Amino acid sequence: MTWLGPQEWEAVALSLRVSFWATALSLPLAIAVALALARGRFPGRHLLNGLVHLPLILPPVVTGYLLLLTFGRRAPVGAFLENALGLVLAFRWTGAALAAGIMAFPLMVRAIRLAVEAVDPRLEQAAATLGAPRLWVFATITLPLILPGIIAGSLLGFAKAMGEFGATITFVSNIPGQTQTLPTAIYGFLQIPGGEGAALRLVAVSIALSMGALLASEWIATRVAQRIAGK
């Protein structure tokens, strides 16, 4: 990517970093929530389902503003994290990862939940009746069978995180080299005279990365499914 300038390359590198951590940190919770929604029968299940999908419905700016109210340096949670752990989220790349993770979370949960619902519960019940602990049943039966959904959800979440704009720019602003991701860099270049060329190059990179993630999601999920089926 030598045809990218230093600021453009910084935006690409930061986007990859933010998307990786947004996906990696969201994945364990996404698996747990997907299992709860697919298998659980508990009060508040429908409310949990609504909360999970809320970021898809709310304007991203609203999500970003709520994050600022919650995790800002003067907000209760944000002040606690800074004082206790030295972790600052507002106007930092870590905050961009949090915003991207929240926006990608519903897609991850949905893909994994569909995979869980496709697993025949009788397979898990049979293992349980043979005395296998619940965690062992999950590790040896459920997890391998839902692995294609986990992979697909992870890559979809990564692609969504790469394209997140509204919540990110509201929560962490658009600071070159610190919080400027691909979408916010494109927006920034479009605001200055002569920035159209740089914006167009970043648009091409964004399309390539997103399409690559989607195609990889389909290919890997298909290969894993074929391997599980013994084909």
Side-chain angles (χ1 to χ4, degrees):
M1 295 185 184
T2 55
W3 52 286
L4 294 178
Q7 186 177 346
E8 299 160 50
W9 176 244
E10 278 186 345
V12 174
L14 184 60
S15 284
L16 292 171
R17 182 185 187 187
V18 164
S19 300
F20 171 80
W21 285 110
T23 305
L25 295 177
S26 299
L27 184 58
L29 183 59
I31 295 173
V33 171
L35 285 168
L37 293 175
R39 292 282 192 261
R41 295 295 181 268
F42 53 89
R45 178 171 170 268
H46 294 296
L47 177 61
L48 175 61
N49 186 52
L51 290 174
V52 166
H53 291 88
L54 195 59
L56 293 179
I57 302 170
L58 282 176
V61 173
V62 173
T63 302
Y65 183 58
L66 291 175
L67 288 173
L68 194 59
L69 291 178
T70 306
F71 295 100
R73 301 187 70 167
R74 295 184 179 180
V77 178
F80 170 78
L81 291 175
E82 183 176 2
N83 294 330
L85 305 176
L87 178 62
V88 178
L89 296 173
F91 306 106
R92 297 287 194 279
W93 77 268
T94 48
L98 174 63
I102 288 175
M103 298 302 295
F105 189 72
L107 297 178
M108 298 172 66
V109 170
R110 184 164 182 79
I112 299 170
R113 179 182 177 181
L114 291 173
V116 174
E117 291 174 343
V119 175
D120 190 345
R122 290 175 296 183
L123 296 174
E124 300 163 317
Q125 293 167 3
T129 57
L130 294 174
R134 181 175 297 182
L135 186 59
W136 183 252
V137 172
F138 172 76
T140 59
I141 296 178
T142 309
L143 184 59
L145 291 175
I146 67 173
L147 189 57
I150 293 175
I151 294 172
S154 299
L155 290 174
L156 285 174
F158 182 87
K160 173 63 177 175
M162 285 287 296
E164 171 48 35
F165 173 76
T168 301
I169 200 170
T170 305
F171 183 39
V172 300
S173 190
N174 185 18
I175 307 170
Q178 297 185 42
T179 65
Q180 188 176 72
T181 58
L182 264 174
T184 57
I186 292 170
Y187 174 80
F189 281 123
L190 290 175
Q191 306 307 304
I192 58 176
E196 293 83 0
L200 188 58
R201 288 193 294 271
L202 290 180
V203 166
V205 172
S206 181
I207 293 173
L209 289 173
S210 298
M211 283 301 298
L214 290 172
L215 293 175
S217 170
E218 291 294 327
W219 184 79
I220 294 175
T222 301
R223 289 295 300 271
V224 171
Q226 291 175 345
R227 188 169 183 178
I228 291 173
K231 297 181 180 180

